[in-house]
Amino acid sequence: MEYSIGEVAKMTGLPTSTLRYYDKEGLLPDLERKGGKRMFDERSIRVLHVIECLKRSGLEIRGIRAYMDLTTQGSESYAARKALFEEQRRKTLEQMEELQRTLDLLEYKCWYYEEALACGDEDFAEDLPVNLPAKAKKLYRKAFPQN
């Protein structure tokens, strides 16, 4: 089945300008045209999902273009393609760890200010983390692992 650029925009949530840009940048090498209009098939939609995944993982357009170039080389480039995805997976895991540390601190501070609101002041925090309830102590240790 073939889809117009407008249909693909609705299906993927990508603006038509982004789809045109990807085509212009050579990220959709097998994209067909009929009467001068871009026509997308199931394969090109799968390619768009991979492109968006690589973008979210932090790969820049030139890196995505390099990946797309590798895909045209057939099985000779499997190792290079695998290495690219392994590197992006490693970077994504690092980002997830950093986000988890951020979330841990945010959760602790939410607890902290719930307590401050309930007490009307921050006096409860004078002996932190010694006098923390178990749940808050766990949040504190996650937020401040060096303490």
Side-chain angles (χ1 to χ4, degrees), residues 4 16 18 36 44 50 69 76 84 92 121-123 129:
S4 70
T16 56
T18 298
S44 56
V50 172
D69 290 344
E76 298 170 9
L84 181 141
T92 300
D121 58 37
E122 296 179 69
D123 292 346

Side-chain angles (χ1 to χ4, degrees), residues 66-124:
Y67 166 73
M68 295 309 297
D69 290 344
L70 287 172
T71 65
T72 65
Q73 298 173 18
S75 60
E76 298 170 9
S77 67
Y78 286 170
R81 287 188 258 172
K82 181 177 183 278
L84 181 141
F85 278 93
E86 287 175 340
E87 176 64 12
Q88 292 313 116
R89 177 178 59 190
R90 183 192 64 73
K91 288 179 179 180
T92 300
L93 288 169
E94 285 178 3
Q95 291 170 353
M96 289 172 65
E97 289 171 7
E98 181 62 31
L99 284 172
Q100 185 60 56
R101 286 189 295 273
T102 299
L103 181 59
D104 291 343
L105 182 54
L106 292 170
E107 286 178 347
Y108 169 74
K109 293 306 269 183
C110 284
W111 170 85
Y112 181 94
Y113 287 109
E114 284 174 19
E115 288 295 309
L117 284 167
C119 296
D121 58 37
E122 296 179 69
D123 292 346
F124 72 95

Side-chain angles (χ1 to χ4, degrees), residues 22-30 43 47 50-51 54 59-82 84-85:
Y22 288 171
D23 183 31
K24 185 183 112 193
E25 289 297 316
L27 303 185
L28 302 165
D30 297 327
R43 183 183 178 285
V47 169
V50 172
I51 291 168
L54 290 171
L59 193 61
E60 296 177 0
I61 293 296
R62 69 173 168 255
I64 297 170
R65 187 180 316 109
Y67 166 73
M68 295 309 297
D69 290 344
L70 287 172
T71 65
T72 65
Q73 298 173 18
S75 60
E76 298 170 9
S77 67
Y78 286 170
R81 287 188 258 172
K82 181 177 183 278
L84 181 141
F85 278 93

